[in-house]
């Protein structure tokens, strides 16, 4: 909570100043009463913030506080023992409207998946890094088209797994230490071992297939390694076949669900879209 009542019952430990300004992204808007809304933000400094937006349909602020808009958010933390009403939005200076999301079902689902993962993992315990990663992804998604949106999503998820500290090393076998990108033939494949949370070579995978959940081509493995090591600009221009992209998507969607510790609703409802 942003405003917590102290034991005295008369003072409030807000966790932030009464008037608070930060960079934020709107990820959810829910009706609250007849004219108000409860708005969910991912913010740079405070992480997840739920604030009340007051005003009817004709409110100027309501037109600015729209899902996926990002910019400078102004909050006021009220003295109110009802914690659900402790924070209200006083202004929102929008820098990015992400208008293309309204015209693309894929972009809407991709953005929703990224936001849901941030929500379920509490911003990976690093508010600022989570905000930068999510903000960069949404801005890039807005400028992308077609297949670029798909590769952008898998890159975001792979990087977010690193932020969580659970991204597996894709460069070598976790069991025997063999390096995958030295002396491998094009036909070689690597397998993800769910028990070890790492990748294994074909020899080690053959010893116990029951623990190998997913298989990747060397091309797919190289691509994920590049995402880990290179800049976003360098990775965006790398080639990736449709088959390798499909393999990577299945893997990162699985790992995202594992990281969340529960089923991700966006993945369930977005079957056939994502």
């Amino acid at each position: 909570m942003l405003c917590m009542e102290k034991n005295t019952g008369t003072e409030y430990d807000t966790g932030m100043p009464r008037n608070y300004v930060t960079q934020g992204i709107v990820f959810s808007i829910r009706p609250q009463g007849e004219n108000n809304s409860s708005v969910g933000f991912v913010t740079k400094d405070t992480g997840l913030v739920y604030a009340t937006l007051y005003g009817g349909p004709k409110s100027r602020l309501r037109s600015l506080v729209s899902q996926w808009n990002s910019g400078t958010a102004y909050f006021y933390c009220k003295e109110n023992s009802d914690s659900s009403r402790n924070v209200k939005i006083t202004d929102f200076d929008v820098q990015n409207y992400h208008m293309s999301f309204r015209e693309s079902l894929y972009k809407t689902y991709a953005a929703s998946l990224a936001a849901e993962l941030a929500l379920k993992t509490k911003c990976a315990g690093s508010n600022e890094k989570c905000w930068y990663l999510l903000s960069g992804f949404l801005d890039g998604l807005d400028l992308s088209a077609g297949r670029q949106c798909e590769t952008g999503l898998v890159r975001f998820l792979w990087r977010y797994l690193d932020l969580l500290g659970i991204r597996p090393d894709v460069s070598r076998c976790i069991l025997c230490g063999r390096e995958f990108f030295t002396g491998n033939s094009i036909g070689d494949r690597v397998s993800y071992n769910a028990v070890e949370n790492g990748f294994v070579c074909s020899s080690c995978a053959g010893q116990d297939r029951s623990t190998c959940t997913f298989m990747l081509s060397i091309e797919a493995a190289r691509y994920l390694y590049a995402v880990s090591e290179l800049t976003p600009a360098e990775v965006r221009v790398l080639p990736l076949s449709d088959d390798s992209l499909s393999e990577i998507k299945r893997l990162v969607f699985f790992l995202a669900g594992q990281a969340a510790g529960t089923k991700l609703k966006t993945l369930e409802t977005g079957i056939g879209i994502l």
Side-chain angles (χ1 to χ4, degrees):
M1 296 297 177
L2 294 175
C3 295
M4 298 288 290
E5 189 173 4
K6 288 185 177 180
N7 294 332
T8 61
T10 57
E11 296 179 329
Y12 294 82
D13 179 10
T14 64
M16 71 177 191
R18 289 276 296 277
N19 291 290
Y20 187 72
V21 182
T22 186
Q23 296 296 304
I25 302 166
V26 178
F27 69 85
S28 70
I29 302 176
R30 301 181 184 277
Q32 188 180 84
E34 185 174 346
N35 290 318
N36 305 328
S37 301
S38 175
V39 182
F41 287 86
V42 175
T43 68
K44 179 180 177 181
D45 303 305
T46 316
L48 301 172
V49 173
Y50 291 91
T52 301
L53 173 64
Y54 293 96
K58 296 183 179 180
S59 165
R60 178 194 70 87
L61 188 54
R62 181 179 287 272
S63 65
L64 295 174
V65 181
S66 182
Q67 191 177 29
W68 309 126
N69 284 2
S70 63
T72 305
Y74 297 78
F75 299 111
Y76 176 68
C77 194
K78 301 185 295 181
E79 290 186 354
N80 191 318
S81 59
D82 183 356
S83 60
S84 66
R85 299 175 181 272
N86 277 337
V87 183
K88 75 173 183 178
I89 306 165
T90 58
D91 205 354
F92 190 41
D93 181 13
V94 182
Q95 272 90 54
N96 291 290
Y97 288 88
H98 302 126
M99 296 296 292
S100 68
F101 291 11
R102 296 165 174 78
E103 303 170 355
S104 170
L105 190 59
Y106 184 91
K107 290 185 179 184
T108 298
Y109 269 93
S112 296
L113 176 58
E116 184 182 4
L117 185 58
L119 174 63
K120 294 286 178 62
T121 60
K122 302 186 187 316
C123 293
S126 180
N127 297 333
E128 185 172 350
K129 290 181 179 179
C130 175
W131 182 84
Y132 273 118
L133 192 58
L134 181 60
S135 179
F137 168 61
L138 295 183
D139 290 348
L141 187 64
D142 193 30
L143 299 173
S144 300
R147 196 170 182 276
Q148 293 175 334
C149 299
E150 297 182 65
T151 55
L153 176 59
V154 298
R155 291 196 300 269
F156 166 81
L157 294 175
W158 192 246
R159 290 175 180 133
Y160 196 85
L161 291 170
D162 183 46
L163 186 60
L164 287 166
I166 59 173
R167 184 173 72 189
D169 181 5
V170 73
S171 67
R172 58 177 51 84
C173 178
I174 197 172
L175 297 180
C176 71
R178 174 191 176 191
E179 295 185 357
F180 296 138
F181 311 135
T182 302
N184 285 67
S185 66
I186 296 176
D188 279 348
R189 301 176 68 80
V190 301
S191 302
Y192 173 72
N193 186 310
V195 174
E196 300 290 342
N197 187 33
F199 292 90
V200 296
C201 64
S202 55
S203 297
C204 292
Q207 298 174 19
D208 186 3
R209 290 287 181 185
S210 63
T211 60
C212 296
T213 314
F214 299 94
M215 296 186 69
L216 296 181
S217 65
I218 287 297
E219 180 193 33
R222 284 185 184 276
Y223 187 83
L224 289 178
Y225 181 72
V227 176
S228 307
E229 299 295 323
L230 303 181
T231 66
E234 290 173 323
V235 178
R236 278 196 295 268
V237 299
L238 294 179
L240 184 66
S241 69
D242 290 341
D243 288 343
S244 292
L245 176 58
S246 295
E247 291 174 351
I248 292 173
K249 285 169 64 175
R250 288 193 292 270
L251 172 67
V252 296
F253 289 166
F254 169 79
L255 293 177
Q258 293 293 104
T262 183
K263 291 183 179 179
L264 292 167
K265 294 181 179 179
T266 310
L267 287 178
E268 289 189 315
T269 60
I271 295 176
I273 299 172
L274 292 172

